[in-house]
Amino acid sequence: MRGVEVSEYGDSAVLTPTDLPEPTPSADEVSIDVAAAGVNFADIEQRRGNYPNGPSPPFVPGLEVAGTVTAAPAESDFVVGDRVAALTSSGGYAELATAPVERTFRIPESLSWAEATALPVQGLTAHNVLHEWGNLSSGERVLVHAGAGGVGSLAVQLADAAGATVFATASTSEKRELTRDLGADHAIDYTEADVADAVLSRTDGTGVDLVIDGVGGDAFAASVEALAPVGRIVTFGMASGSVPTVATPRLFFANQSVIGYHLTHALDHVPERVLGAVPSLTDHLESGRVEVVVDRTVSLEEPQQAHDALANRETVGKVVLKP
């Protein structure tokens, strides 16, 4: 089969399309004929060698796929031909992949393969940080950093659907307009405006009840300043490359919370909490209340294009590799 291998850590040039042996599923895995593979910042960090406990070269990257089941354990609910999306520990950038049964989900016929790739990583992350970890309630104010990105574009819509007032940050006028189209009430240019000041000025100095932050660095610092008393921040990444920190007196004097979220680690320890989001998320997607913004689909033979576009902040929504 064709796939992409990382032979050594480095820039996108180390992504090598090549012939690979077909993966052999374990007793609790399904085999999937991959129709589309999602591209995520985690893939880039794994390729660079910066991802904690990430795979060592040589490895096939890719944490999420959508496709058709070709084999499944007899005791599972899956049969050959089922349309599914799945979380893989790696190996998604290939024509064939395997995934644990419990991390494989049927997808609605209404979803395209490219759209379906957003469900396992970005969709679950967006729903989890807002609801299962963020405990969002109707009427609350939410700040979504990188609101036009893969997680952000879904989070803006999910927060809007939950009855929240949504603040979204984005770097260009086109991205800010997209966040408004998706349901953001306020779109903030973080390259020009002080995000905390912008939030506070639009909330009569109160701030927001919930912040979801996958950026870290300056974005996290702004999150702390923009947070209302008894508010909470869910931090789930550091796309800026800077580890977020906060002084605890700020938190306890205002009764605020900072909550960490990592999808894979959460799946290992509290899978029912993570996967409890699947029915709601699937229903939102099937009904059209939430849509997947697909930025581009790139050939499996040109993975460098996908990684470079994502790393350079040239994309909105989902980036997909197609075998």
Side-chain angles (χ1 to χ4, degrees):
M1 69 170 188
R2 294 293 286 173
V4 176
E5 187 173 72
V6 174
S7 56
E8 60 180 329
Y9 295 133
D11 63 20
S12 63
V14 304
L15 294 166
T16 307
T18 187
D19 291 319
L20 298 168
E22 295 183 5
T24 302
S26 64
D28 62 348
E29 289 185 321
V30 297
S31 294
I32 300 170
D33 182 3
V34 178
V39 180
N40 295 285
F41 273 107
D43 304 341
I44 294 173
E45 291 302 285
Q46 287 186 359
R47 187 204 75 214
R48 292 169 172 167
N50 296 334
Y51 198 81
N53 301 312
S56 300
F59 66 91
V60 178
L63 301 175
E64 59 184 353
V65 299
T68 306
V69 172
T70 59
E75 64 275 15
S76 77
D77 292 332
F78 295 105
V79 298
V80 173
D82 280 346
R83 299 178 81 247
V84 296
L87 282 155
T88 60
S89 57
S90 62
Y93 292 11
E95 293 178 322
L96 299 170
T98 61
V101 168
E102 67 273 12
R103 300 183 184 185
T104 302
F105 329 108
R106 286 187 180 84
I107 56 173
E109 291 288 342
S110 58
L111 284 186
S112 70
W113 294 122
E115 292 168 333
T117 63
L119 192 156
V121 173
Q122 294 173 338
L124 280 178
T125 296
H127 199 287
N128 284 170
V129 297
L130 286 170
H131 293 290
E132 288 74 26
W133 269 252
N135 294 313
L136 177 65
S137 296
S138 178
E140 289 193 308
R141 294 162 169 164
V142 183
L143 172 59
V144 179
H145 288 291
V151 173
S153 60
L154 292 169
V156 166
Q157 296 175 79
L158 288 168
D160 178 57
T165 298
V166 183
F167 295 75
T169 69
S171 60
T172 68
S173 59
E174 292 79 11
K175 290 182 178 181
R176 291 191 294 278
E177 186 60 32
L178 173 62
T179 67
R180 293 188 190 95
D181 291 342
L182 296 176
D185 301 279
H186 306 276
I188 301 169
D189 180 357
Y190 68 85
T191 68
E192 295 290 339
D194 182 293
V195 173
D197 285 348
V199 169
L200 293 170
S201 69
R202 300 178 197 188
T203 59
D204 296 324
T206 302
V208 294
D209 304 291
L210 174 64
V211 182
I212 62 167
D213 174 30
V215 179
D218 292 341
F220 183 82
S223 301
V224 174
E225 296 298 322
L227 195 62
V230 200
R232 60 261 184 223
I233 300 170
V234 181
T235 174
F236 64 95
M238 47 183 184
S240 66
S242 177
V243 179
T245 60
V246 61
T248 53
R250 169 80 192 211
L251 300 180
F252 62 68
F253 278 117
N255 294 283
Q256 296 167 328
S257 305
V258 177
I259 305 159
Y261 172 86
H262 187 273
L263 175 61
T264 304
H265 191 272
L267 280 165
D268 289 340
H269 294 274
V270 284
E272 67 289 343
R273 188 175 176 190
V274 176
L275 300 177
V278 171
S280 172
L281 183 59
T282 303
D283 178 64
H284 276 301
L285 291 169
E286 187 170 21
S287 68
R289 289 189 298 271
V290 172
E291 65 177 275
V292 177
V293 178
V294 179
D295 181 275
R296 68 189 70 193
T297 299
V298 179
S299 167
L300 189 67
E301 300 297 323
E302 300 176 306
Q304 302 90 348
Q305 291 186 16
H307 273 226
D308 288 344
L310 189 59
N312 294 331
R313 308 293 197 275
E314 297 170 357
T315 65
V316 296
K318 192 68 193 162
V319 178
V320 179
L321 287 180
K322 185 174 178 60

